[in-house]
């Protein structure tokens, strides 16, 4: 999707994901130690980060030169990775002003694939690649298989000193998720 047409998404025509209970175990959980490659060249272990960290997990970003999987828009919760990433981009300064030390997007796509989106969308934060699924399996994150790819369902965490304090799941519509997280951060102050 062209980043200039983000407002063109008619969310009423996209199936809304249901809460399948597969994230109910996460709030209060210690984040497992798992180093993931980042688009800024580092390996990041979220469990060791001090302060407040926000991680939004998404299935996959599309690319202008690559078609999305068949039926993508009809998979509940699949559509919206670019609008979600751009909403976090647009509110990035506000996250920082609220004391968020680290903000990451996370998917099972390779760092090379994610790097294209970071550059194209002008994201001021890095994306983390869990292509080996070590982090996802250790946390028991909800996932789906689409065209033989294991993709993560959309979920967002607020983590404080390595412990998950808040879970947003399911996330819909994805372009409103960043504002929802900001509201939560303001309320907990």
């Amino acid at each position: 999707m062209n980043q200039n047409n983000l407002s063109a998404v008619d969310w009423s025509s996209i199936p809304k994901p249901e809460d399948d209970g597969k994230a109910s175990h996460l709030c209060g959980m210690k984040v497992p130690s798992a180093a993931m490659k980042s688009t800024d060249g580092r390996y990041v272990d979220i469990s060791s980060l001090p302060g407040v960290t926000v991680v939004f997990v998404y299935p996959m970003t599309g690319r202008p030169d690559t078609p999305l999987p068949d039926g993508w828009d009809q998979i509940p919760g699949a559509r919206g990775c670019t609008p979600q990433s751009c909403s976090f981009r647009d509110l990035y300064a506000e996250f920082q002003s609220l004391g968020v030390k680290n903000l990451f997007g996370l998917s099972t796509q390779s760092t090379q694939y994610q790097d294209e989106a970071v550059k194209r969308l002008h994201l001021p934060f890095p994306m983390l690649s869990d292509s080996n699924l070590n982090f996802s399996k250790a946390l028991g994150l909800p996932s789906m298989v689409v065209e033989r790819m294991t993709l993560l369902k959309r979920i967002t965490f607020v983590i404080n000193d390595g412990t998950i304090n808040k879970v947003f799941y399911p996330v819909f519509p994805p372009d409103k998720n960043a504002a929802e997280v900001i509201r939560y951060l303001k309320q907990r102050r």
Side-chain angles (χ1 to χ4, degrees), residues 156-178:
T156 300
F157 307 108
V158 177
I159 300 164
N160 193 12
D161 294 328
T163 299
I164 299 171
N165 292 129
K166 178 68 175 167
V167 176
F168 297 87
Y169 179 82
V171 172
F172 192 83
D175 63 336
K176 304 293 186 219
N177 183 225

Side-chain angles (χ1 to χ4, degrees), residues 78-95:
R79 176 78 183 267
C81 302
T82 297
Q84 183 182 27
S85 297
C86 290
S87 69
F88 276 94
R89 174 200 65 202
D90 295 346
L91 294 172
Y92 183 68
E94 192 164 356
F95 278 102

